[in-house]
Amino acid sequence: MEEGTSESLGTPGVTTAAGAAPGSRGCHADGGDADPFQWDTREDCEVRQILDRIADKWSLLVIALLENRVVRFSQLRREIDGVSQRMLTVTLRQLERDGLVRRTVHPTVPPRVDYELTPLGATLHTTIRSLVTWTERHQNEIAAAREAYDTREGRESREAAPA
C-alpha cells in the first residue's frame, strides 16, 4: 500500500463499466450505470485510487502552483506552507507517475530539478480552478453552516453534561 492511503473493504469481481475507456478498469460490479457509493468502497477501484491521489491537499496545491510555469523544488516548498520536504517529494513522484507532472533534472552543481504540468496535468488544473471558484463563491455559506453546527453541538454537549 502506498504512503498516504488507507485500508478499506475491497470487493472482488470488479468488471469494466459500460462506456469506460478501452483498457480501463471500471469499478461497477454489474457493468452498468455508476453508483457513487459502489466504487468508493473498493480498494482496487482505479477511479478511486486516482481520485485519492489528485484530491489530497498537497496534490491540489502542487497542481495549482504549477499552472503555466516551471518551478524548482525549493520554490514549491517555500510556496506550500506546512508541507515537509519528504511529503512534497512523495507527492511530486506520485503526480509524475500518474503523468500529471514532468520532472526535469539539470546537470548542474548543485543539481537543479524543475517541475511543470504535463498536458494531462493542465486539463486537471482546469477542474481544480472550478473547485476553487466554487469554494470562493460559497465560503460565507460554509462558514455560517460551521458556526451554526458548532453552536448547536456546543449547546447539546453542555445539556448532556452532568451538573
Side-chain angles (χ1 to χ4, degrees):
M1 175 168 307
E2 293 183 34
E3 181 177 331
T5 60
S6 60
E7 287 284 339
S8 70
L9 299 173
T11 304
V14 174
T15 58
T16 302
S24 69
R25 284 183 21 213
C27 300
H28 311 292
D30 64 359
D33 290 336
D35 175 350
F37 299 105
Q38 187 174 22
W39 64 261
D40 192 44
T41 62
R42 297 166 184 246
E43 184 176 0
D44 59 349
C45 175
E46 193 167 337
V47 171
R48 177 184 165 190
Q49 292 170 3
I50 294 168
L51 286 171
D52 285 349
R53 168 88 62 249
I54 63 176
D56 76 63
K57 67 180 178 180
W58 302 125
S59 294
L60 288 172
L61 289 169
V62 166
I63 292 166
L65 288 171
L66 290 177
E67 180 186 24
N68 297 321
R69 64 186 190 144
V70 177
V71 181
R72 294 176 72 170
F73 180 91
S74 57
Q75 183 179 354
L76 274 173
R77 182 145 184 244
R78 280 192 304 272
E79 291 185 26
I80 302 175
D81 189 35
V83 71
S84 68
Q85 180 171 336
R86 170 146 173 70
M87 196 66 238
L88 182 56
T89 298
V90 168
T91 299
L92 286 164
R93 284 183 185 157
Q94 292 170 341
L95 292 172
E96 182 182 12
R97 180 175 182 254
D98 289 342
L100 302 172
V101 168
R102 178 177 302 114
R103 176 179 184 259
T104 305
V105 179
H106 300 277
T108 60
V109 177
R112 188 178 112 210
V113 181
D114 293 330
Y115 294 90
E116 62 186 315
L117 291 179
T118 63
L120 180 61
T123 65
L124 180 58
H125 187 274
T126 302
T127 301
I128 291 170
R129 187 179 308 123
S130 296
L131 181 61
V132 170
T133 300
W134 180 91
T135 304
E136 290 170 342
R137 188 173 297 138
H138 297 285
Q139 66 184 340
N140 292 335
E141 294 167 73
I142 292 168
R146 287 177 175 172
E147 186 175 328
Y149 176 89
D150 291 347
T151 299
R152 185 176 63 248
E153 288 298 307
R155 182 177 51 238
E156 290 174 6
S157 65
R158 283 191 303 274
E159 292 170 357

